[in-house]
Amino acid sequence: MDKDSNPFFEVESKILAPSVLVIFGATGDLTARKLFPALYNLAKEGQLPSHFACVAYARRPKNSQQFREEMKEAICAHSRTQPIDQKVLDSFLSQVFYHQANLNDDEGYERLRERLLDIDVRFGTRGNRVYYLATQPSFFPVVAKKLGTHGLIEDPSKSRDRWTRVVVEKPFGHDEESAEALQRDLTEYFKEEQIYRIDHYLGKETVQNLLVFRFANAIFESLWNNNHIDHIQISVAEDIGIGTRGNFFEEAGILRDVVQNHMMQLLSLVAMESPVNLQPLSIHDEKVKVLEALRPIKEEEVEEYVVRGQYGPGYIHGKEVQSYRHETNVDPQSPVETYVAMKLFIDNWRWAGVPFYLRAGKMLPKRASEIAVFFKEAPAIIFNQASQHSNALVIRIQPNEGISLRMNAKIPGINNTIQPVKMDFLYSSYFGIAPPEAYERLLCDAFVGDATLFAREDEVLASWKFLSPILEHLAKKKPQKFPNYAAGTWGPEAAEELLLKDQRRWRLL
């Protein structure tokens, strides 16, 4: 069956309705480094709604012109497309307005309501709103309540002519209990269908391509099971520390900051069954089944299946760096992990007995995120087993987004010497363009109302249900040997031992 006759892969054009984007906490780093460069690139490529405006809501005193100048500098510094198109930039910034008020200020929300009504008239935005909560998580319930009590949320069951959506940045809670509490706070004013929980990893081109790669290529999908796959490694490595996020990271740690969201999302996409179609409901249903099938790690098993680490002083790219405990706003005796490695199992028919190894860390030798699928070795009947290497399929998420396949080949010559070779596909090289930034795709989807690449409530809760007992155990048993890896190395020795005892090794990124 070809693509044109297969409704599973039918391409739907996305029509973006007129709308206003309101960014709460708009003077933060996220807005300058990610959101406004993404909005500019969408404008440059004609992807913004034809009737559009943006309101930046923050407490710092300034006017719209001052804010526009700041965003102009940010866009010039961080936009993926260079050089900047001055005409597009000026036109885009003319649609941006600054609204100064505290997040808990009732008068500020009244002025916001009046301003949005005026924008509807001036820009033809028809009362459609996307509220982006780029604030500290503690303010999520506050903003939701203020928007609700000041009549700034449309009930989707009562209005077909206009809509309201809210985009929530991670973290989605601190544990299972707090995630449930946050959900109650949000759904007191928003319907679940209006809530878009953003995870920028899901906006990356390689992650979006996972469904196509798996379910549009029979050669791989037929091998995607425990009959042919030995194990899977998912890695998220960063070559930087925590920067100015000391206060946040002291409360979160890398388990909450990276594993609970990014890595659980990648895991569910890699392991899910085929959805019946590409609608958000079908895809989310299959992802939830994976998370619900995760084998619980019992308290007495945590030390066996989970390794945590914290970086000490070392060298990154030849530059000396300090330990985590010497970072700004970090406790000098902090027990917070900056590295974690885990071994887990998915107890369903497809993945029975296949271990999944996850690792995430700060201050590692390089920045790289990937999914590596290791296939079972061929029988060593004809060739010497020592000369063979298992086939490995590597899906690179960042940097250099692409896919590579390692296979065995004979070296030219009179001897039967086998050497692994690699077939490599790069998005930028093959298609001739760099993939769009994740926030470009996700903002576009929020405008159009496509929730496929956003996390659903039950996904978040299923992830927390699996991780909360682990976090509770680790909180009770403080680490005795932190820091236990030097900055610029690949983590603690115990992480290597986690795989060595299974006669496996981490892939060299």
Side-chain angles (χ1 to χ4, degrees):
M1 180 181 291
D2 61 27
K3 175 184 170 183
D4 293 334
S5 62
N6 187 353
F8 187 92
F9 291 106
E10 182 177 346
V11 178
E12 296 182 2
S13 60
K14 295 188 175 183
I15 301 174
L16 278 64
S19 54
V20 180
L21 172 66
V22 183
I23 303 174
F24 290 91
T27 53
D29 189 59
L30 174 67
T31 303
R33 293 180 61 88
K34 297 295 183 181
L35 299 185
F36 265 80
L39 289 168
Y40 161 76
N41 286 322
L42 289 175
K44 184 177 181 179
E45 296 177 2
Q47 295 297 315
L48 279 183
S50 55
H51 297 275
F52 172 80
C54 177
V55 176
Y57 191 117
R59 62 179 177 81
R60 297 179 187 175
K62 63 183 69 178
N63 57 39
S64 293
Q65 190 55 40
Q66 290 173 316
F67 184 76
R68 289 168 182 162
E69 289 299 321
E70 292 174 1
M71 292 304 103
K72 183 175 182 178
E73 292 181 10
I75 290 168
C76 291
H78 302 296
S79 171
R80 70 173 173 87
T81 58
Q82 299 288 346
I84 298 298
D85 187 321
Q86 197 60 48
K87 185 177 180 180
V88 172
L89 180 59
D90 291 341
S91 175
F92 164 64
L93 290 175
S94 70
Q95 301 168 290
V96 175
F97 303 92
Y98 187 78
H99 187 84
Q100 192 271 318
N102 289 327
L103 292 173
N104 57 1
D105 181 7
D106 287 297
E107 190 269 337
Y109 287 87
E110 279 300 305
R111 287 191 292 110
L112 176 65
R113 187 172 63 83
E114 294 171 3
R115 187 165 210 163
L116 292 177
L117 291 173
D118 177 63
I119 287 175
D120 285 339
V121 174
R122 292 174 57 193
F123 291 88
T125 46
R126 303 181 186 176
N128 296 327
R129 317 277 189 246
V130 176
Y131 298 121
Y132 199 115
L133 306 191
T135 70
Q136 291 292 330
S138 58
F139 284 108
F140 293 170
V142 175
V143 176
K145 180 178 180 179
K146 296 298 183 184
L147 291 172
T149 55
H150 288 275
L152 288 161
I153 301 174
E154 290 289 340
D155 187 336
S157 64
K158 296 180 181 178
S159 175
R160 293 179 176 269
D161 299 327
R162 55 182 63 186
W163 46 258
T164 302
R165 298 173 189 133
V166 60
V167 180
V168 183
E169 273 281 347
K170 73 172 185 71
F172 315 122
H174 191 74
D175 52 21
E176 185 179 8
E177 183 179 351
S178 61
E180 292 174 343
L182 175 60
Q183 179 67 11
R184 289 193 298 270
D185 290 335
L186 292 175
T187 53
E188 186 175 351
Y189 302 98
F190 293 97
K191 305 292 185 184
E192 171 61 25
E193 66 198 72
Q194 296 176 290
I195 303 172
Y196 289 66
R197 300 171 190 83
I198 193 167
D199 184 335
H200 71 272
Y201 260 58
L202 295 181
K204 293 181 180 294
E205 194 67 40
T206 315
V207 176
Q208 297 174 47
N209 195 46
L210 269 172
L211 292 183
V212 175
F213 178 81
R214 286 191 54 194
F215 301 121
N217 294 291
I219 188 174
F220 293 115
E221 178 55 23
S222 61
L223 304 176
W224 216 258
N225 54 60
N226 58 3
N227 291 325
H228 302 283
I229 292 176
D230 178 75
H231 73 282
I232 293 178
Q233 298 180 17
I234 303 177
S235 302
V236 176
E238 298 184 47
D239 57 0
I240 59 174
I242 59 166
T244 60
R245 300 197 308 155
N247 286 328
F248 164 76
F249 209 84
E250 278 290 275
E251 294 183 4
I254 207 159
L255 262 170
R256 291 183 171 93
D257 188 40
V258 174
V259 177
Q260 186 276 325
N261 37 73
H262 300 333
M263 302 194 80
M264 288 293 114
Q265 289 290 333
L266 295 178
L267 174 69
S268 62
L269 286 169
V270 167
M272 65 184 277
E273 298 296 328
S274 171
V276 295
N277 55 46
L278 293 179
Q279 296 302 310
L281 178 64
S282 300
I283 293 173
H284 288 304
D285 284 349
E286 297 303 330
K287 289 168 66 181
V288 169
K289 290 177 185 177
V290 172
L291 297 173
E292 291 180 339
L294 286 172
R295 182 187 302 174
I297 297 177
K298 300 175 183 178
E299 184 172 358
E300 61 271 19
E301 298 174 327
V302 171
E303 302 300 321
E304 179 183 354
Y305 287 89
V306 181
V307 173
R308 53 179 166 167
Q310 184 189 92
Y311 64 82
Y315 292 85
I316 297 287
H317 308 309
K319 181 181 178 181
E320 188 173 8
V321 294
Q322 61 188 356
S323 69
Y324 173 74
R325 292 181 174 184
H326 286 88
E327 300 280 17
T328 304
N329 296 322
V330 169
D331 181 354
Q333 300 299 319
S334 175
V336 172
E337 79 285 350
T338 62
Y339 178 99
V340 67
M342 303 176 65
K343 174 183 175 181
L344 53 84
F345 292 91
I346 299 171
D347 286 337
N348 62 18
W349 190 272
R350 181 187 291 263
W351 298 112
V354 176
F356 287 74
Y357 300 100
L358 279 57
R359 60 173 166 171
K362 299 281 189 182
M363 285 293 192
L364 302 184
K366 63 185 291 188
R367 171 178 174 264
S369 297
E370 68 172 37
I371 300 163
V373 180
F374 291 84
F375 293 91
K376 293 182 177 180
E377 294 183 353
I381 297 174
I382 302 177
F383 303 105
N384 183 352
Q385 185 74 50
S387 67
Q388 294 181 227
H389 297 262
S390 61
N391 300 137
L393 179 74
V394 179
I395 302 167
R396 291 189 306 276
I397 298 164
Q398 65 180 14
N400 303 322
E401 296 180 74
I403 301 170
S404 67
L405 178 63
R406 185 181 72 188
M407 64 186 73
N408 293 304
K410 177 186 174 296
I411 297 176
I414 60 174
N415 296 318
N416 284 326
T417 305
I418 296 176
Q419 177 176 303
V421 297
K422 184 169 66 173
M423 296 176 62
D424 209 349
F425 158 69
L426 284 173
Y427 280 92
S428 57
S429 297
Y430 188 86
F431 294 108
I433 56 173
E437 291 288 341
Y439 278 96
E440 294 173 36
R441 171 63 188 270
L442 295 172
L443 284 169
C444 186
D445 283 358
F447 291 134
V448 81
D450 184 347
T452 304
L453 299 178
F454 296 83
R456 200 170 68 183
E457 171 198 6
D458 46 358
E459 291 176 49
V460 174
L461 295 180
S463 174
W464 277 124
K465 183 177 181 180
F466 173 74
L467 289 171
S468 286
I470 298 172
L471 287 162
E472 290 171 6
H473 173 80
L474 296 180
K476 289 187 293 185
K477 188 171 182 179
K478 303 296 183 183
Q480 300 298 314
K481 297 181 180 180
F482 273 11
N484 60 357
Y485 72 96
T489 65
W490 283 110
E493 292 183 5
E496 296 294 334
E497 295 168 1
L498 182 68
L499 270 70
L500 284 174
K501 64 186 180 184
D502 295 337
Q503 297 183 321
R504 300 184 178 100
R505 300 185 71 93
W506 289 110
R507 194 183 105 83
L508 184 62
L509 299 181

